[in-house]
Amino acid sequence: MKIQAINYETKSGFPSGPSGFKVGMQENSIVAQGYNANLDGSRASKSTSKAAVSFTGGVAKLEQFGEKLFDKIARSEAAEKALNFFNDKPVVGQSLISLIVAGAIRPATNIAMAGKDDKEDSLYAASHAISSAVIGFLASSVLMAPFDIAAKRLAKRPQRYIKGAEENLGIKKMGARQLEKSSRNGIISTILKMGPDTFVFGIAKAMLTIALIPPILKYVFHVEKKPKTKPETVTPKTNIDFCDKPVFQQFKGGLK
Amino acid sequence: MQVSSINNISYNNHIKRNNAQPTFTGIKVTPIAREYFNAIDWLTNKYYAKFYKSKLAGKFLEKTSKFADNMTTHMMVLGSTVISGMYIMRTLQNDKLDKEKRKTLAINDTLTWGVSTAGTYIVDGKLRNLFDNKMATRYAANYLAKHPEDMNKELLGEWDPANIRQVMQEAPQRALAKYAEMKKTLGENTPELKEWMKRVRFKEDRHFKELEEIDGSKLKIKDFNMDILKSPKLSNQIKGISILKSLFIGTMIYRYLVPVLIMKPANKLGAYIHAKNAEKAKTEQADAKKLEKTA
């Protein structure tokens, strides 16, 4: 059986492989005929079903490449922009996901699942979720922007800012490529990018969230907390007029 | 020679030069924008750079290098722990609630945090291979189909992105073979060879030497891009996939699945069981009183 080589030849006539191993697929190849193949291309056993994947020397080609929904999304501009956004601004990205999940989906589910008895509790929980999501997104977008820009600046030209940190990062020479390859840089850059929000802004956001719950209850769900009415206190009667009682009116006392 | 006219020209030019208004076409920076840029400079030099170079960072990184894979998840969990801890402390110190209610709410918050944290790590761990390898590889193949200039064909030859897995396996050998071929053709350390190396994004000889230690069969898409394709844009997007996965899983579990779909029904079930037990206890008490009276 003749197996064609993958076209690795360049203009300079570079051969298809240093070891001379040629792989490829022909129309009347083993796989197209529905036979299973060993790695060296010899027939192993006959299969009645058509081959599901294209076989190229031991590693399968990507199935239905370019036709699946995932491929269409992956080739869109929006996907590229979204992934760049999440890489450059993880905290803002997290707040954006929270805005959708906790700001919309969660309150809707809370209210939908609420029974007659716990409707007020559900509204309170929904207000809390919306407040938290909105505050989180707005605060993160504004506060974390300088951190994200500074991190990007450092990643582009690390020699200018962190020359001398080679030992800490486990690299021999400071450079953008070396920094990217360093797993330690992955750790420290994530901590420094997300740390301010985790340890400082997060607590402030949480407190602001609680403060924002009453306005959301009032203006979004039109629920106002009614002031609690004081229970009526029973004051004991101190002056009892015995003469008014019929029992005592019938009494005819006195010394005879 | 018309001297007078020349003199006039030079005189006129002199006059024009003295009376000329300089036109400034620089960027107008408002005070707020200036402070903003200063803040960024400060963050780059004092915050990031200082931490990177500190001894504490060195010791910390030495001990935590194995956590590099899911650092985003760790930071999310840490953030949620801090916030949950704050809410629990506030609940326990809330004088408006009675002691029993405070305890119940605090236990509820702690359980929510515990279940969410465990769930996040379990789900993130289970889906890591799917997202960081399989999905990222397919995404990279699609990216390269859209941006063929990043396929480094001058090094690897013509190849189809659909065969990306095969190419990843053979890439280190092919790159080394191509390098050997070019050294033979163009000569060692010649400007033409340097120019070719620049075009294939391998600036130094030692970058090719590093390929000798790479086992193509174990090469992941992230390393294939960093070591051979060397596309910074693709690198950012592959990292973006991992970060998006961690953030999405963590947020869905912490802020939706556990509080809404698990804890709420669990609380209702708990209240139902509590009510049933109370009713049973009441019935038993009533029965015991009856027995006492008849006795």
Side-chain angles (χ1 to χ4, degrees):
Chain A
M1 183 198 65
K2 192 180 175 185
I3 305 172
Q4 286 176 339
I6 288 176
N7 184 15
Y8 276 109
E9 290 189 356
T10 61
K11 284 178 187 172
S12 59
F14 179 67
S16 54
S19 57
F21 180 62
K22 293 180 185 181
V23 298
M25 183 158 153
Q26 240 184 345
E27 281 177 11
N28 58 347
S29 71
I30 285 172
V31 176
Q33 289 171 0
Y35 283 87
N36 289 332
N38 289 329
L39 284 171
D40 60 357
S42 60
R43 284 184 191 180
S45 59
K46 194 175 176 182
S47 160
T48 49
S49 60
K50 275 187 188 171
V53 297
S54 305
F55 184 77
T56 50
V59 184
K61 207 173 172 177
L62 294 173
E63 280 179 39
Q64 293 172 283
F65 183 62
E67 291 163 28
K68 290 190 172 180
L69 178 63
F70 176 85
D71 298 331
K72 287 172 186 158
I73 294 170
R75 293 185 195 202
S76 64
E77 278 295 318
E80 269 186 57
K81 284 185 181 169
L83 293 176
N84 283 332
F85 172 77
F86 279 99
N87 179 51
D88 294 337
K89 303 176 186 193
V91 176
V92 183
Q94 182 186 359
S95 305
L96 183 63
I97 297 172
S98 296
L99 187 66
I100 298 164
V101 171
I105 303 173
R106 180 171 164 179
T109 312
N110 269 336
I111 291 165
M113 282 171 68
K116 285 179 191 174
D117 301 328
D118 57 353
K119 196 172 181 186
E120 210 175 291
D121 282 346
S122 296
L123 287 176
Y124 183 86
S127 310
H128 186 273
I130 293 172
S131 162
S132 163
V134 170
I135 292 277
F137 180 69
L138 291 174
S140 300
S141 304
V142 171
L143 295 170
M144 295 309 294
F147 287 89
D148 295 331
I149 296 170
K152 206 169 178 180
R153 202 188 264 189
L154 187 139
K156 259 189 178 169
R157 272 190 235 109
Q159 310 92 309
R160 194 172 163 184
Y161 301 104
I162 52 169
K163 203 166 184 180
E166 288 90 346
E167 203 183 317
N168 283 353
L169 296 170
I171 54 178
K172 287 175 188 168
K173 193 182 170 190
M174 188 57 71
R177 181 181 165 266
Q178 289 83 349
L179 204 68
E180 206 184 303
K181 283 202 75 168
S182 164
S183 58
R184 291 185 183 191
N185 175 57
I187 296 174
I188 194 168
S189 68
T190 308
I191 291 173
L192 292 176
K193 266 192 212 174
M194 296 179 77
D197 189 71
T198 301
F199 299 113
V200 180
F201 304 136
I203 295 172
K205 280 192 292 184
M207 292 168 83
L208 203 59
T209 297
I210 293 166
L212 214 65
I213 292 171
I216 289 178
L217 269 173
K218 188 178 175 184
Y219 295 110
V220 176
F221 295 110
H222 307 291
V223 170
E224 270 197 76
K225 260 192 173 179
K226 289 173 190 170
K228 283 183 185 172
T229 50
K230 283 186 186 174
E232 280 180 28
T233 48
V234 177
T235 49
K237 282 185 184 175
T238 48
N239 296 322
I240 299 168
D241 197 350
F242 286 100
C243 298
D244 291 339
K245 300 284 173 191
V247 162
F248 293 105
Q249 279 176 2
Q250 287 165 20
F251 179 74
K252 290 172 185 175
L255 291 168
K256 278 187 180 174
Chain B
M1 187 178 73
Q2 290 175 347
V3 175
S4 57
S5 62
I6 288 170
N7 284 340
N8 279 342
I9 289 166
S10 64
Y11 175 74
N12 287 336
N13 282 343
H14 175 71
I15 294 290
K16 276 182 194 169
R17 212 180 296 133
N18 282 339
N19 294 337
Q21 296 294 322
T23 48
F24 179 68
T25 53
I27 301 164
K28 195 175 180 185
V29 179
T30 60
I32 295 173
R34 196 180 297 122
E35 287 306 317
Y36 187 73
F37 294 134
N38 287 343
I40 295 171
D41 281 335
W42 185 90
L43 283 170
T44 318
N45 291 307
K46 300 290 179 189
Y47 172 66
Y48 283 104
K50 234 181 177 177
F51 269 102
Y52 265 93
K53 293 180 201 172
S54 65
K55 281 184 185 170
L56 176 67
K59 286 182 189 168
F60 177 78
L61 290 170
E62 225 177 276
K63 300 203 172 164
T64 56
S65 50
K66 56 186 169 182
F67 298 123
D69 279 343
N70 53 348
M71 202 59 215
T72 309
T73 306
H74 294 318
M75 289 304 289
M76 274 196 72
V77 166
L78 203 55
S80 300
T81 305
V82 169
I83 301 293
S84 296
M86 196 198 80
Y87 279 134
I88 291 163
M89 291 301 294
R90 273 181 65 97
T91 306
L92 289 170
Q93 290 165 359
N94 190 353
D95 295 327
K96 292 176 187 173
L97 300 165
D98 61 274
K99 265 189 176 176
E100 275 303 312
K101 183 88 177 172
R102 278 187 246 171
K103 237 188 199 175
T104 311
L105 285 174
I107 291 170
N108 194 356
D109 286 342
T110 311
L111 275 174
T112 307
W113 170 83
V115 172
S116 302
T117 304
T120 300
Y121 276 119
I122 290 169
V123 175
D124 191 72
K126 293 278 180 197
L127 295 178
R128 193 172 307 145
N129 189 43
L130 173 67
F131 277 81
D132 295 355
N133 290 325
K134 291 181 183 171
M135 217 179 252
T137 303
R138 192 166 186 120
Y139 179 85
N142 278 291
Y143 173 86
L144 293 167
K146 204 179 157 193
H147 301 275
E149 67 276 8
D150 284 340
M151 287 168 69
N152 212 347
K153 288 181 185 177
E154 202 162 341
L155 183 68
L156 299 172
E158 285 291 328
W159 60 282
D160 183 2
N163 286 326
I164 192 168
R165 288 187 203 143
Q166 177 68 31
V167 172
M168 275 164 64
Q169 267 199 7
E170 296 181 356
Q173 295 159 356
R174 296 203 171 279
L176 285 168
K178 181 68 176 176
Y179 178 54
E181 163 81 15
M182 294 310 281
K183 269 204 290 189
K184 224 175 173 181
T185 313
L186 301 173
E188 281 206 44
N189 294 321
T190 55
E192 291 83 14
L193 183 70
K194 297 274 180 197
E195 190 56 45
W196 174 81
M197 283 168 66
K198 212 177 168 183
R199 285 204 305 272
V200 296
R201 302 171 199 158
F202 278 69
K203 285 181 189 168
E204 291 170 42
D205 293 326
R206 63 182 177 89
H207 294 161
F208 280 106
K209 279 191 182 156
E210 285 167 27
L211 294 180
E212 287 168 13
E213 288 153 35
I214 296 173
D215 181 0
S217 60
K218 294 179 186 168
L219 197 62
K220 291 183 182 171
I221 186 64
K222 191 173 98 174
D223 298 317
F224 172 60
N225 180 52
M226 275 206 285
D227 293 330
I228 297 170
L229 297 181
K230 296 185 192 281
S231 163
K233 285 183 185 173
L234 180 57
S235 181
N236 281 345
Q237 292 183 34
I238 291 170
K239 278 191 259 173
I241 291 173
S242 181
I243 291 171
L244 174 58
K245 168 215 71 177
S246 297
L247 293 178
F248 184 76
I249 290 169
T251 307
M252 278 300 281
I253 290 175
Y254 271 104
R255 308 201 64 174
Y256 182 69
L257 292 173
V258 172
V260 177
L261 298 182
I262 296 176
M263 291 316 283
K264 203 162 175 166
N267 287 343
K268 280 193 172 172
L269 184 67
Y272 171 75
I273 293 169
H274 182 75
K276 275 273 177 188
N277 286 342
E279 209 183 296
K280 196 178 175 184
K282 210 177 172 182
T283 319
E284 279 170 6
Q285 223 176 23
D287 288 342
K289 272 187 180 171
K290 270 185 190 171
L291 275 168
E292 267 180 36
K293 275 185 182 175
T294 50

